[in-house]
Amino acid sequence: MILQMTLSSPFLLSSCSSAHRLNPLLFSKRRHCPIKFSHFPFHLLTKPRFLSVAAAATENGVFTSPENAKSFDFSSEERIYNWWESQGFFKPTFDRGSDPFVVSMPPPNVTGSLHMGHAMFVTLEDIMVRYNRMKGRPTLWLPGTDHAGIATQLVVEKMLASEGIKRTDLSRDEFTKRVWEWKEKYGGTITNQIKRLGASCDWTRERFTLDEQLSQSVIEAFIKLHEKGLIYQGSYLVNWSPNLQTAVSDLEVEYSEEPGTLYHIKYRVAGQSDFLTVATTRPETLFGDVAIAVNPKDDRYSKFIGKMAIVPMTYGRHVPIIADRHVDKDFGTGVLKISPGHDHNDYYLARKLGLPILNVMNKDGTLNEVAGLYCGLDRFEARKKLWSELEETGLAIKKEPHTLRVPRSQRGGEIIEPLVSKQWFVTMEPLAEKALRAVEKGELTIMPERFEKIYNHWLSNIKDWCISRQLWWGHRIPVWYIVGKNCEEDYIVARNADEALEKAREKYGKNVEIYQDPDVLDTWFSSALWPFSTLGWPDVSAEDFKKFYPTTMLETGHDILFFWVARMVMMGIEFTGTVPFSYVYLHGLIRDSQGRKMSKTLGNVIDPLDTIKEFGTDALRFTISLGTAGQDLNLSTERLTANKAFTNKLWNAGKFVLQNMPSQTDVSAWEAIRNCKFDKEESVLRLPLPECWVVSELHVLIDMVTASYDKFFFGDVGREIYDFFWSDFADWYIEASKARLYQSGANSACSEAQAVLLYVFKNVLKLLHPFMPFVTEELWQALPDPKEALIVSPWPQTSLPRFPNSIKKFENFQALTRAIRNARAEYSVEPAKRISASIVASEEVIQYISNEKEVLALLSRLDLQNIHFTDSPPGDANQSVHLVASEGLEAYLPLADMVNISAEVERLSKRLSKMQVEYDGLAARLSSRKFVEKAPEDVVRGVREKAAEAEEKIKLTKNRLAFLKSSSLVSQ
């Protein structure tokens, strides 16, 4: 009787390493299970005869060789980074190419502290930059920080408050001086933290949005837009922050669902006893009501359309009752109060219908004189008092709990108030049209593509942009007013005060007095100029502008596609005539392991600097780079742990390669290694099968990875390199190479193995460097004769020779090895025990398998002297375990070599008895009608599945016993 085992048998499930199990992000159709050899009896093989190699770079105190350190020391990362920067590697060079790759770093707030969002953009942009630098392109990654008007002013105001000083106690100049002092002292924090992530920016070109040159570009942009009639001043509804006393952008308003109250109030119909019930969440705004609206199809109220309603608590002020189809009949009572001075929807409706706009609120959040007796009360105090008095007068019907969507300031947390205020605006429609055409004509590519629809929708429905802010820190609006004249009609736009005064004298006489607009520009206004202002614009003759504009790539989070990216596109086209970048790459958010947004409230914030200390920068970078463009990424310690293990695996592989190189003094050995070439088909084809296979797989990998880099498919790049390095190189080729390296006497196979080890490992380091720059540079510098730093080494050549037939042959070899090892595991063969084997295959297959008999013996723990190759089953086949490795390739393993048959029979008999008892118990439950009918469906299903599994195990164990017993009888 022959027990046949195929690769689909449950007996042949091999175990993968723990690091593979830990990393759910890493998967591939090519995944191989790693093979471990810690227990192989190497006593028949000689020890390595090579002396260690330490690269000269390790002698300069910057780098450490794997021969001298057990693992990669994360503390060396800063030392390596400083060395790169000191060597000038971050600066663009035109030595190897003329087509520059340029990225403008999204400028973090100068007040910022490193978070995972920064880690994401730094990692992705650095991957792009390092790859293109190695490809030979002049590469510029231009860094900088944003002055962050509101955020910075708040920080400094808090600092002054701790000294007992209010901002208003100081003059404007005194306050801005204190802010600059704060910036000089603390503003570099975020920059140093970004460096810790390995960002290879050209720090000699670092910019700050309030630098003199960038400030000049902001003024020039304002003037040019004003000259074209695209900037105007007027009173319109804006988002107002009462505490900060400034308008804020839509981006700086965050909406949260909070418990609130819906107030039901009577509005009497003038001249009648009827009244309409209005439901509102903000009763204090009723003083600004200019109309009552109902849906024209709402039969309840159609008879009141065209009549007048009396606004409560206003001494009889009348407002029209109008019809509008946008009124939701099902919300509240179906009657809507129109307060255009305090609601965005009401504001646009009022403008459409020509209704007046009443503002009832001061800029500090108190009610003004329009509110009559409530004047001077805080908006929330007024709400309480008003409701109380409505109750007293019988105009209050009821109040009920209601979930509100509350607009809060991103900076201060206070509730934002829609408020009519005089501000400066940019007319956006003509600018948006050009930005839309840029995508339509293919001049700008947005990745992922789905964000093009969002970009187009926003630009197609764009509103004018409020660009003024009531702050002291920022770019002062370059507008001067004439003392004694109307501010909205008589003003001067100029580059500086002297120019403004000169213009004013020409128009109003030499005795004219002027004063500058106190407001500053929205921080996003200067940010919109970032890709070209940082390169010297408006001086288009500046060297950097001529060499590096337009830029290549803009990488940022998808959440600021409108507020920053689209505005840069519009301003770039407007001021330079060119789209400022060719590609936009949008990344998602980093969430916790449960997919939740990180927040201090949830206590799930992961600090990048703490992560770096524990896992290393490379592990963090590799983990967050494996996501998909535009999609959020869940970050867990399990993934970080797995990729820290990957760093260690690289380090140990480097140690193995170095320990198995010839001594530096062995000239002939090194000459033999250098004579091995891998760029010609004949030279690769001459290699033994394992070497030809791994070199072919490497060349396939280089092409795939390069194509994915060029398409910005960074997740695919990382997974492919990880898969090849861990499964192909480390778990297969390194182990196979030991059959060459550990045999006595010098030979060509040994030199070939050394050359292949070095060649493949060097190329893996190059491919992986953009992702994991520190450990790869450390290992590179330890290798023999590094001609240059890895960061500036040439990218691997593509389209190198590869042989699919050799790959297929080695895959057969792997299948045979796995089958034998799985059989050993199933029969619990002692790891150190060597067994016999008969390999049955065609003459062609036997030829290439037998040529690697030593490797097969090493990997499968076979007795080298008792491996037999034949084209038919051996004579003792009925006493052997029969393995089908692949079509046309089988193996027979003598059972007597593997187990003590009588002991195994006894063990399996006991195991069978236990399994039978378990099965009988499950079968008894299933035979019970009461259990099947009354137990929950999922419980019954679970018992059925367990019973089926137990039945299958019993069947397999019986077959095994029958086979063992028959073998025992034959041997007797």
Side-chain angles (χ1 to χ4, degrees):
M1 180 179 180
I2 301 173
L3 181 65
Q4 183 169 335
M5 300 174 71
T6 67
L7 289 181
S8 61
S9 167
F11 294 142
L12 299 181
L13 297 176
S14 61
S15 61
C16 290
S17 72
S18 61
H20 281 68
R21 291 198 304 272
L22 281 169
N23 202 333
L25 263 186
L26 298 165
F27 54 88
S28 169
K29 294 178 181 178
R30 306 193 305 121
R31 170 74 53 210
H32 305 308
C33 289
I35 296 180
K36 305 300 175 189
F37 304 91
S38 57
H39 301 291
F40 189 82
F42 291 122
H43 59 276
L44 294 181
L45 303 175
T46 62
K47 295 294 182 184
R49 57 185 175 78
F50 315 111
L51 298 175
S52 66
V53 175
T58 63
E59 298 173 5
N60 61 15
V62 177
F63 300 99
T64 303
S65 170
E67 294 178 291
N68 303 325
K70 183 178 179 181
S71 61
F72 178 56
D73 183 2
F74 304 147
S75 67
S76 65
E77 292 174 348
E78 290 183 81
R79 188 168 64 249
I80 294 170
Y81 187 90
N82 292 335
W83 180 76
W84 283 329
E85 191 174 7
S86 70
Q87 299 298 307
F89 294 144
F90 299 163
K91 297 178 182 179
T93 172
F94 287 81
D95 294 347
R96 289 192 287 154
S98 57
D99 178 27
F101 181 85
V102 185
V103 180
S104 298
M105 176 185 286
N109 288 350
V110 70
T111 58
S113 182
L114 197 70
H115 56 65
M116 278 300 173
H118 296 126
M120 174 71 92
F121 88 69
V122 169
T123 296
L124 293 173
E125 290 173 30
D126 199 41
I127 287 173
M128 300 178 196
V129 166
R130 288 178 185 269
Y131 167 68
N132 281 280
R133 185 184 289 121
M134 294 175 76
K135 289 279 282 186
R137 296 180 70 176
T139 303
L140 173 60
W141 186 10
L142 199 150
T145 48
D146 192 290
H147 66 277
I150 293 176
T152 307
Q153 183 158 317
L154 272 175
V155 168
V156 177
E157 283 188 18
K158 286 179 182 177
M159 180 189 74
L160 291 172
S162 68
E163 302 172 16
I165 303 172
K166 292 181 181 179
R167 172 172 62 90
T168 50
D169 294 338
L170 304 175
S171 69
R172 184 175 190 136
D173 289 343
E174 287 171 337
F175 178 77
T176 53
K177 181 182 177 183
R178 293 296 297 269
V179 181
W180 277 108
E181 289 172 357
W182 178 92
K183 190 264 179 186
E184 292 305 314
K185 187 173 182 180
Y186 300 106
T189 300
I190 188 67
T191 296
N192 292 327
Q193 291 173 338
I194 285 174
K195 288 182 177 183
R196 192 69 186 83
L197 286 164
S200 57
C201 312
D202 183 358
W203 294 105
T204 64
R205 287 178 164 88
E206 184 179 8
R207 299 289 185 261
F208 178 54
T209 47
L210 280 177
D211 285 347
E212 184 177 350
Q213 188 266 312
L214 270 68
S215 296
Q216 289 301 316
S217 69
V218 168
I219 292 170
E220 194 67 27
F222 186 98
I223 291 172
K224 286 181 179 295
L225 289 173
H226 187 269
E227 286 174 348
K228 291 187 72 172
L230 295 176
I231 283 183
Y232 64 93
Q233 187 184 37
S235 294
Y236 298 93
L237 195 71
V238 297
N239 297 310
W240 185 262
S241 172
N243 285 353
L244 298 173
Q245 292 279 292
T246 181
V248 295
S249 73
D250 291 341
L251 182 64
E252 291 156 338
V253 178
E254 294 181 340
Y255 290 87
S256 62
E257 289 197 348
E258 301 176 17
T261 305
L262 192 62
Y263 300 88
H264 294 252
I265 304 171
K266 289 181 181 179
Y267 280 62
R268 298 193 186 281
V269 179
Q272 299 183 18
S273 59
D274 295 313
F275 63 85
L276 298 177
T277 301
V278 172
T280 178
T281 59
R282 296 196 302 156
E284 70 278 5
T285 62
L286 63 77
F287 299 107
D289 290 354
V290 297
I292 298 295
V294 297
N295 192 296
K297 295 183 179 180
D298 193 333
D299 295 335
R300 294 174 295 175
Y301 308 117
S302 58
K303 65 181 179 179
F304 298 115
I305 297 171
K307 300 184 182 298
M308 302 295 283
I310 302 171
V311 180
M313 313 304 289
T314 61
Y315 303 102
R317 186 165 63 84
H318 288 41
V319 296
I321 301 171
I322 64 175
D324 190 271
R325 62 186 178 85
H326 293 103
V327 176
D328 185 353
K329 293 189 294 181
D330 299 321
F331 176 76
T333 62
V335 180
L336 183 70
K337 61 191 283 300
I338 307 298
S339 312
H342 300 281
D343 182 274
H344 288 285
N345 292 326
D346 292 1
Y347 178 77
Y348 292 115
L349 179 62
R351 293 194 66 181
K352 182 180 75 172
L353 299 176
L355 296 171
I357 295 172
L358 276 179
N359 174 27
V360 304
M361 208 164 290
N362 297 312
K363 292 183 177 180
D364 62 356
T366 59
L367 271 60
N368 63 22
E369 63 279 359
V370 175
L373 295 176
Y374 296 87
C375 178
L377 286 179
D378 174 77
R379 52 186 166 159
F380 301 116
E381 291 177 13
R383 181 180 300 175
K384 291 179 184 178
K385 183 179 180 183
L386 175 63
W387 181 251
S388 175
E389 294 188 356
L390 285 169
E391 287 180 316
E392 290 176 9
T393 56
L395 295 175
I397 297 175
K398 65 175 181 178
K399 62 179 180 179
E400 57 188 6
H402 181 71
T403 301
L404 306 178
R405 188 167 177 262
V406 180
R408 289 192 176 274
S409 166
Q410 186 187 61
R411 300 299 174 192
E414 66 170 326
I415 295 178
I416 291 297
E417 190 66 44
L419 193 71
V420 174
S421 174
K422 189 171 79 170
Q423 305 287 342
W424 288 94
F425 294 85
V426 176
T427 303
M428 299 302 290
E429 195 171 327
L431 302 176
E433 288 174 1
K434 297 175 185 177
L436 282 165
R437 283 200 299 272
V439 171
E440 185 181 323
K441 291 161 61 178
E443 296 171 355
L444 176 65
T445 302
I446 300 175
M447 300 174 287
E449 188 178 354
R450 69 179 185 274
F451 283 102
E452 281 188 12
K453 291 182 180 178
I454 300 171
Y455 172 92
N456 290 339
H457 179 267
W458 187 72
L459 287 177
S460 300
N461 297 277
I462 199 165
K463 300 181 178 72
D464 287 356
W465 176 14
C466 173
I467 57 170
S468 48
R469 297 291 180 267
Q470 289 64 52
L471 302 170
W472 282 0
W473 174 248
H475 295 101
R476 192 91 173 260
I477 289 178
V479 169
W480 282 261
Y481 301 111
I482 312 302
V483 174
K485 298 285 185 179
N486 186 309
C487 292
E488 291 189 24
E489 296 178 5
D490 297 280
Y491 61 82
I492 304 293
V493 177
R495 289 171 178 80
N496 51 56
D498 290 341
E499 182 182 308
L501 184 59
E502 184 179 339
K503 286 184 175 181
R505 284 173 174 171
E506 288 177 4
K507 188 174 182 180
Y508 299 102
K510 65 178 182 178
N511 294 324
V512 68
E513 293 183 37
I514 62 174
Y515 62 97
Q516 190 172 359
D517 192 307
D519 292 351
V520 299
L521 288 164
D522 179 11
T523 302
W524 293 102
F525 188 88
S526 54
S527 299
L529 314 177
W530 186 252
F532 47 94
S533 65
T534 52
L535 294 172
W537 187 89
D539 181 6
V540 294
S541 65
E543 280 301 307
D544 276 2
F545 187 84
K546 289 193 294 184
K547 287 181 179 177
F548 301 117
Y549 189 82
T551 66
T552 314
M553 167 64 69
L554 189 285
E555 192 284 332
T556 191
H558 64 68
D559 54 329
I560 54 174
L561 174 60
F562 322 130
F563 303 104
W564 188 42
V565 178
R567 285 169 176 168
M568 282 190 287
V569 175
M570 289 186 278
M571 295 301 184
I573 296 172
E574 175 66 24
F575 295 125
T576 71
T578 308
V579 178
F581 27 73
S582 302
Y583 300 95
V584 173
Y585 183 103
L586 300 170
H587 66 250
L589 298 174
I590 296 184
R591 298 181 177 272
D592 71 5
S593 58
Q594 299 176 45
R596 300 174 302 175
K597 189 174 181 179
M598 292 184 188
S599 71
K600 292 179 180 178
T601 305
L602 292 174
N604 62 345
V605 176
I606 301 175
D607 188 311
L609 297 178
D610 291 341
T611 304
I612 287 171
K613 288 177 186 175
E614 184 175 355
F615 300 99
T617 304
D618 291 322
L620 173 61
R621 287 171 58 117
F622 193 71
T623 302
I624 62 180
S625 64
L626 293 181
T628 303
Q631 293 185 3
D632 293 350
L633 175 74
N634 294 353
L635 184 64
S636 66
T637 54
E638 288 79 14
R639 291 181 174 183
L640 291 164
T641 300
N643 291 322
K644 180 181 179 182
F646 183 38
T647 306
N648 291 336
K649 190 77 171 179
L650 281 167
W651 191 260
N652 291 333
K655 184 177 294 188
F656 177 85
V657 171
L658 287 168
Q659 289 176 343
N660 288 284
M661 289 296 112
S663 165
Q664 288 178 310
T665 59
D666 192 341
V667 177
S668 61
W670 278 108
E671 186 177 349
I673 290 173
R674 293 189 180 102
N675 285 337
C676 292
K677 304 296 181 184
F678 306 102
D679 57 348
K680 298 285 188 265
E681 286 193 0
E682 56 273 16
S683 58
V684 176
L685 194 56
R686 280 200 300 267
L687 293 170
L689 180 60
E691 282 70 24
C692 185
W693 164 76
V694 77
V695 170
S696 293
E697 288 279 39
L698 172 69
H699 292 169
V700 171
L701 176 74
I702 291 170
D703 286 3
M704 286 195 303
V705 162
T706 302
S708 292
Y709 266 119
D710 288 337
K711 294 174 184 175
F712 310 105
F713 294 168
F714 303 123
D716 292 347
V717 172
R719 283 184 283 271
E720 288 292 344
I721 300 172
Y722 181 103
D723 185 52
F724 171 82
F725 170 77
W726 200 304
S727 296
D728 292 350
F729 182 64
D731 284 343
W732 280 100
Y733 183 68
I734 281 183
E735 300 302 335
S737 71
K738 292 174 183 177
R740 325 265 196 235
L741 301 171
Y742 292 178
Q743 57 186 284
S744 58
N747 57 71
S748 60
C750 178
S751 296
E752 286 172 335
Q754 291 170 321
V756 168
L757 281 169
L758 197 56
Y759 174 72
V760 175
F761 190 62
K762 277 187 170 183
N763 278 284
V764 166
L765 293 181
K766 286 188 175 188
L767 297 177
L768 196 55
H769 177 73
F771 284 78
M772 306 177 80
F774 293 109
V775 69
T776 53
E777 185 74 76
E778 186 94 290
L779 288 165
W780 177 268
Q781 294 292 341
L783 294 176
D785 305 323
K787 294 181 180 178
E788 57 210 332
L790 179 58
I791 187 176
V792 290
S793 65
W795 187 252
Q797 185 181 340
T798 55
S799 302
L800 290 167
R802 78 287 312 272
F803 294 95
N805 191 41
S806 295
I807 293 173
K808 178 62 178 173
K809 286 177 180 179
F810 194 76
E811 286 173 353
N812 282 341
F813 183 92
Q814 289 174 308
L816 177 61
T817 303
R818 285 197 197 94
I820 295 171
R821 290 182 60 78
N822 284 328
R824 290 179 62 107
E826 180 60 28
Y827 281 90
S828 303
V829 180
E830 293 179 7
K833 185 174 182 179
R834 288 171 289 122
I835 62 175
S836 305
S838 293
I839 312 301
V840 180
S842 66
E843 183 178 348
E844 178 193 358
V845 174
I846 284 176
Q847 183 178 354
Y848 67 74
I849 297 290
S850 62
N851 284 344
E852 300 302 334
K853 183 166 70 170
E854 290 80 7
V855 177
L856 181 64
L858 175 64
L859 302 188
S860 305
R861 304 182 184 113
L862 300 179
D863 181 353
L864 190 59
Q865 307 305 318
N866 285 295
I867 305 176
H868 307 287
F869 297 91
T870 177
D871 58 0
S872 60
D876 59 351
N878 57 352
Q879 299 174 54
S880 302
V881 176
H882 178 207
L883 308 175
V884 178
S886 61
E887 187 176 353
L889 179 58
E890 303 173 20
Y892 290 84
L893 309 180
L895 196 59
D897 269 13
M898 299 172 66
V899 293
N900 180 319
I901 295 178
S902 59
E904 184 69 2
V905 167
E906 184 179 353
R907 185 182 73 83
L908 287 177
S909 297
K910 290 179 180 178
R911 182 177 165 191
L912 181 61
S913 297
K914 287 183 179 180
M915 286 192 289
Q916 190 65 51
V917 170
E918 180 186 350
Y919 175 75
D920 291 343
L922 294 168
R925 293 181 73 185
L926 292 171
S927 64
S928 169
R929 186 175 177 181
K930 184 178 179 182
F931 170 75
V932 174
E933 291 179 354
K934 294 190 175 183
E937 186 179 337
D938 58 331
V939 173
V940 176
R941 184 171 58 251
V943 172
R944 283 202 175 104
E945 289 172 356
K946 286 181 180 179
E949 186 180 339
E951 189 175 20
E952 180 66 21
K953 287 180 180 178
I954 289 170
K955 181 181 177 181
L956 291 170
T957 304
K958 285 180 176 179
N959 289 343
R960 176 73 62 77
L961 274 170
F963 172 62
L964 291 171
K965 288 174 180 177
S966 67
S967 299
S968 178
L969 289 171
V970 170
S971 63
Q972 289 174 11

